[in-house]
C-alpha cells in the first residue's frame, strides 16, 4: 500500500499522544490504549486506530449512545502509526482483530472487503448523510464497507513576513508565483521547501497543482477510461510541477529523513512557500505559535479558477468475524453512530478536521480548516483523479490480505511517486513522465 498522507503528523503525535491517551482514557472513563475493559454487563466494543488524538471522540460516542439508551463500553486502542497496518493485518489474519478498526480508505478498504474480513454496511448503517464522492472511497464492488471520517486537503502556504520584507505580494496566479519565487531567490530567501525523501508528499503536490489544471470533464474522462494521464491538461500539470525545481532548497533530494522538515522549516521562517496538507497546520502552529502565515489554493498554470485537491483520509470498518452476537450488535450501533452529524460535530471539534458528513461545520477556533472546509464545499475538484480515485485501486484478491509485502501493481498515487523526483531533476520530460504513469496503470486503461 502507498505511504499514507497525513502520516507524519500522526507519527509525530503518537508518542506523546499515547501517553495522553492513557491519561485521558482514565480520566474519561474509557478503557482504551490496550488496558483491560474490566468487568461489566455492558458489551465491550473494541476500536483500533493509528490516531491516538481521537480518544476523546470515542468517549463522546459512548456517552451519547448511553443517552439514547444504548449502553456500551468502548475500548479504544491507539497503535503507533508506523506499525498500525502490520499490527492490524496480523490480528485480522489471526482472528483476533478489533470489532471496529480505522481503515486506510480506497485500496486499504478493498483488501479487507475482498478477503471477507470487513462486513458490508448496506442495510445496517445509514450513510445517507455522507456525500457519494466521499463514500466511494469506502466501497468495493458496489457495497459500502466503511464510514469515512475525515477529508484532507492540499494548499499553498505562505509566510506573510518573508513576503512583506522582500516586497512580494501574495501571488494570485501561477505566473505571479514563479515571479515571486524568482525575486525571493535573488534576495537569498529559499522560495519553496520540499522533501525529496518523502515522495508521497511530492505526489500530493502534483495532485494539488492538477486540481487547478484539470477540468472536471477531463478528470471524468480519465476516470471513464476515455482519456489517460497523457492528456494535455495532466502533462501541463507535470510541466508546472517541474517549473518549481529551480526554487527548491539546496539538496532537496536528500531532505525528509525525519519526515517533518518541510513544515518545521516553514514554521521557523526558513522558506516562503510550501505546498502541504491542512493536516500539517497543527505542527506548524506547535513549532512556532507566533508565525504569521496564510494559505491559498495552488494557482492554475492556465489561469483557471484554482480548485481544492482533497481525499478521504480513512474510514471506520466493521470486523465481519465478531464472535459474540451481543458485541456484534453493539459494534453495529457504534458504527451507525459514526455516520451521524452528531459524531461529525464531535470529531471536528476535537480534531479540527473536515468531516465528510453533510452539515458539519469546523469550529471557528481552527480558522485555516474553516477556510479549507469552505473550499471543499465550493471549489473542490470532482471527481478526484489521484489518490483515492478508482485509478488508485489496483485489482485485489482474497489472498492479498495474507501477503506481508506491499502490492506490486501500482495505483496512480504510487505511479506519481515514481516519476516525481526524475521529473524535478530533469531526468524525465513531462510527456515521458505521463507515458510512464500510463504504462504503470495498464491494469486500469487496458493498454
Amino acid at each position: 500500500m502507498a505511504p499514507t498522507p497525513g502520516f507524519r503528523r500522526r507519527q509525530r503525535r503518537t508518542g506523546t499522544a499515547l501517553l495522553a491517551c492513557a491519561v485521558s482514557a482514565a480520566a474519561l472513563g474509557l478503557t482504551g490504549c490496550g488496558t483491560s475493559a474490566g468487568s461489566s454487563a455492558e458489551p465491550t466494543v473494541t476500536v483500533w486506530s493509528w490516531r491516538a488524538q481521537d480518544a476523546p471522540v470515542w468517549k463522546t460516542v459512548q456517552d451519547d449512545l448511553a443517552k439514547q439508551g444504548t449502553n456500551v463500553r468502548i475500548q479504544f486502542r491507539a497503535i503507533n502509526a508506523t506499525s498500525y497496518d502490520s499490527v492490524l493485518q496480523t490480528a485480522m489474519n489471526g482472528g483476533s482483530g478489533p470489532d471496529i478498526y480505522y481503515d486506510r480508505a480506497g485500496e486499504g478498504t478493498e483488501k479487507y472487503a475482498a478477503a471477507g474480513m470487513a462486513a458490508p454496511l448496506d442495510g445496517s448503517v445509514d450513510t445517507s448523510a455522507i456525500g457519494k464522492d466521499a463514500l466511494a472511497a469506502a466501497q468495493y464492488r458496489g457495497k459500502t464497507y466503511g464510514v469515512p471520517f475525515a477529508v484532507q486537503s492540499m494548499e499553498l502556504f505562505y509566510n506573510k513576513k518573508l513576503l512583506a520584507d522582500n516586497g512580494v505580494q501574495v501571488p494570485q496566479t501561477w505566473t505571479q508565483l514563479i515571479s515571486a519565487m524568482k525575486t525571493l531567490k535573488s534576495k537569498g530567501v529559499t522560495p519553496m521547501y520540499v522533501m525529496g525523501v518523502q515522495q508521497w508528499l511530492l505526489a500530493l503536490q502534483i495532485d494539488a497543482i492538477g486540481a487547478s489544471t484539470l477540468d472536471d470533464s477531463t478528470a471524468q474522462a480519465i476516470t471513464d477510461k476515455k482519456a489517460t494521464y497523457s492528456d494535455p491538461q495532466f502533462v501541463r500539470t507535470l510541466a508546472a510541477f517541474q517549473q518549481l525545481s529551480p526554487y527548491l532548497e539546496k539538496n532537496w533530494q536528500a531532505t525528509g529523513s525525519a519526515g517533518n522538515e518541510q513544515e518545521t522549516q516553514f514554521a521557523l521562517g526558513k522558506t516562503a512557500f510550501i505546498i502541504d496538507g491542512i493536516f500539517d497546520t497543527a505542527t506548524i502552529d506547535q513549532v512556532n505559535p507566533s508565525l504569521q502565515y496564510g494559505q491559498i489554493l495552488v494557482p492554475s498554470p492556465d489561469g483557471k479558477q484554482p480548485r481544492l485537491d482533497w481525499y478521504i483520509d480513512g474510514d471506520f470498518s466493521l470486523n465481519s468475524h465478531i464472535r459474540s452476537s451481543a458485541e456484534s450488535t453493539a459494534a453495529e450501533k457504534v458504527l451507525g453512530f459514526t455516520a451521524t452529524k452528531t459524531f461529525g460535530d464531535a470529531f471536528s471539534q476535537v480534531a479540527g478536521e473536515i468531516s465528510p458528513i453533510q452539515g458539519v461545520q469546523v469550529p471557528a477556533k481552527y480558522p485555516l480548516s474553516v477556510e479549507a472546509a469552505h473550499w471543499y464545499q465550493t471549489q473542490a475538484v470532482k471527481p478526484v483523479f489521484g489518490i483515492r480515485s478508482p485509478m488508485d485501486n489496483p485489482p485485489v484478491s482474497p489472498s492479498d490480505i495474507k501477503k506481508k509485502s506491499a502490492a506490486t501493481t501500482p495505483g496512480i498515487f504510487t505511479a506519481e511517486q515514481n516519476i516525481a523526483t526524475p521529473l524535478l531533476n530533469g531526468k524525465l520530460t513531462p510527456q515521458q513522465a505521463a507515458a510512464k504513469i500510463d504504462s504503470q496503470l495498464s491494469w486500469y486503461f487496458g493498454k
Side-chain angles (χ1 to χ4, degrees):
M1 188 184 304
T4 307
F7 173 81
R8 286 174 294 130
R9 188 183 71 174
R10 299 175 201 128
Q11 181 182 28
R12 193 162 41 258
R13 282 183 169 179
T14 300
T16 54
L18 280 174
L19 175 60
C21 176
V23 174
S24 62
L28 295 170
L30 286 175
T31 57
C33 309
T35 59
S36 171
S39 61
S40 172
E42 304 164 344
T44 296
V45 173
T46 54
V47 179
W48 285 13
S49 173
W50 65 83
R51 294 171 52 106
Q53 68 269 31
D54 287 353
V57 176
W58 293 102
K59 167 59 178 168
T60 299
V61 173
Q62 183 173 292
D63 290 348
D64 285 346
L65 283 172
K67 292 175 184 175
Q68 297 176 8
T70 299
N71 294 312
V72 57
R73 181 180 292 266
I74 296 177
Q75 186 181 69
F76 177 76
R77 180 187 178 191
I79 298 170
N80 190 301
T82 57
S83 56
Y84 177 79
D85 290 347
S86 61
V87 171
L88 176 64
Q89 184 169 326
T90 299
M92 295 292 280
N93 280 334
S96 58
D99 301 323
I100 295 172
Y101 57 94
Y102 282 56
D103 199 348
R104 318 290 187 183
E107 185 185 356
T109 298
E110 290 192 352
K111 70 176 186 178
Y112 285 105
M117 294 181 180
L121 307 181
D122 309 89
S124 60
V125 174
D126 181 4
T127 56
S128 60
I130 300 172
K132 66 176 185 179
D133 293 319
L135 196 60
Q139 294 177 325
Y140 175 66
R141 292 187 174 178
K143 294 183 178 180
T144 299
Y145 288 87
V147 178
F149 60 81
V151 175
Q152 302 295 357
S153 61
M154 295 292 293
E155 289 84 10
L156 174 65
F157 297 93
Y158 59 92
N159 182 310
K160 294 181 178 179
K161 186 174 186 302
L162 274 181
L163 266 57
D165 288 350
N166 290 280
V168 173
Q169 299 294 316
V170 178
Q172 300 301 314
T173 67
W174 185 263
T175 300
Q176 291 175 2
L177 173 62
I178 297 300
S179 177
M181 292 197 293
K182 185 176 182 180
T183 298
L184 291 164
K185 185 177 181 179
S186 70
K187 295 186 176 185
V189 177
T190 300
M192 181 172 285
Y193 220 90
V194 299
M195 296 189 295
V197 174
Q198 302 290 335
Q199 295 180 331
W200 64 270
L201 189 53
L202 298 179
L204 285 181
Q205 290 162 353
I206 292 174
D207 287 351
I209 297 171
S212 294
T213 310
L214 271 68
D215 299 330
D216 283 349
S217 58
T218 300
Q220 188 65 57
I222 293 174
T223 304
D224 294 342
K225 306 177 185 179
K226 296 178 180 176
T228 70
Y229 288 94
S230 290
D231 183 277
Q233 291 187 8
F234 191 76
V235 173
R236 180 76 180 98
T237 297
L238 297 176
F241 180 66
Q242 193 175 52
Q243 273 189 286
L244 302 177
S245 181
Y247 307 107
L248 305 180
E249 80 276 13
K250 294 180 180 177
N251 202 29
W252 62 267
Q253 293 186 65
T255 302
S257 58
N260 62 359
E261 289 91 335
Q262 178 171 296
E263 63 268 32
T264 54
Q265 291 299 302
F266 179 75
L268 295 172
K270 302 298 184 182
T271 185
F273 297 105
I274 56 172
I275 300 175
D276 210 333
I278 192 70
F279 47 80
D280 269 334
T281 57
T283 300
I284 294 170
D285 295 341
Q286 183 181 30
V287 172
N288 186 0
S290 63
L291 181 71
Q292 295 297 307
Y293 70 105
Q295 64 176 355
I296 59 173
L297 293 174
V298 177
S300 167
D302 296 327
K304 302 173 184 173
Q305 181 187 38
R307 297 191 302 167
L308 182 75
D309 178 50
W310 66 276
Y311 56 90
I312 290 297
D313 197 2
D315 58 74
F316 306 129
S317 291
L318 182 67
N319 191 329
S320 64
H321 298 300
I322 302 175
R323 295 173 183 172
S324 162
S325 60
E327 195 172 301
S328 179
T329 299
E332 275 194 11
K333 291 183 178 179
V334 171
L335 202 61
F337 187 81
T338 66
T340 66
K341 182 176 180 297
T342 301
F343 175 85
D345 287 336
F347 177 81
S348 287
Q349 181 69 32
V350 171
E353 298 176 24
I354 304 170
S355 168
I357 298 174
Q358 296 173 8
V360 173
Q361 302 293 321
V362 178
K365 63 182 177 180
Y366 305 110
L368 293 180
S369 291
V370 170
E371 190 173 33
H374 174 70
W375 287 331
Y376 176 64
Q377 295 297 331
T378 60
Q379 291 179 243
V381 61
K382 293 181 181 178
V384 293
F385 55 85
I387 185 172
R388 304 291 189 255
S389 71
M391 294 74 76
D392 197 37
N393 297 335
V396 296
S397 71
S399 62
D400 285 350
I401 196 68
K402 302 291 184 182
K403 300 176 182 176
K404 293 184 179 180
S405 59
T408 55
T409 303
I412 177 59
F413 190 49
T414 300
E416 289 174 318
Q417 293 177 58
N418 292 340
I419 59 91
T421 297
L423 188 61
L424 283 177
N425 64 24
K427 294 182 177 179
L428 286 177
T429 66
Q431 291 80 7
Q432 290 170 332
K436 287 185 72 71
I437 289 176
D438 284 345
S439 175
Q440 292 176 82
L441 269 70
S442 60
W443 59 268
Y444 188 82
F445 294 114
K447 298 181 179 179

